[in-house]
Amino acid sequence: MKDERGHYYYPFPQNKRVRMYVRQGETGVDFRLWNQDDPQLWIEHGWVPHAAITAASAIYQKKGFDPHLAYDIKLARALLTESS
């Protein structure tokens, strides 16, 4: 899907108020979270390279959150490939 911010998917399909935007960055895919209920999130947090998400994944696994589900690299690549 695409809107004025760019290409996105729903990282939590049951919650359409949260979107994960993706773009082709300098070193790979970048991600950026948008939440309709928290507009400041978009302003305060910029684009995050997938490599940084992968590096931080060990921390999140301890907290019961799997970043690979929210930051879905396969889905992101498919979106970007489809759009080009």
Side-chain angles (χ1 to χ4, degrees):
M1 292 167 272
K2 184 178 181 183
D3 66 10
E4 68 280 353
R5 289 181 193 90
H7 297 280
Y8 70 90
Y9 63 90
Y10 297 108
F12 312 108
Q14 71 281 8
N15 185 355
K16 302 293 189 215
R17 300 175 70 81
V18 176
R19 295 178 181 171
M20 184 65 72
Y21 286 84
V22 296
R23 71 176 185 187
Q24 185 61 48
E26 292 180 24
T27 60
V29 177
D30 295 340
F31 293 84
R32 190 169 184 182
L33 195 61
W34 177 83
N35 184 332
Q36 187 173 351
D37 298 323
D38 185 4
Q40 282 299 112
L41 181 68
W42 183 262
I43 296 166
E44 294 172 358
H45 298 280
W47 292 96
V48 179
H50 184 256
I53 293 162
T54 301
S57 66
I59 295 168
Y60 290 109
Q61 288 175 353
K62 295 177 185 174
K63 295 182 180 182
F65 173 74
D66 184 356
H68 300 291
L69 296 177
Y71 297 90
D72 188 332
I73 190 65
K74 290 180 183 178
L75 181 54
R77 286 181 180 145
L79 268 174
L80 295 173
T81 299
E82 182 180 292
S83 70
S84 59

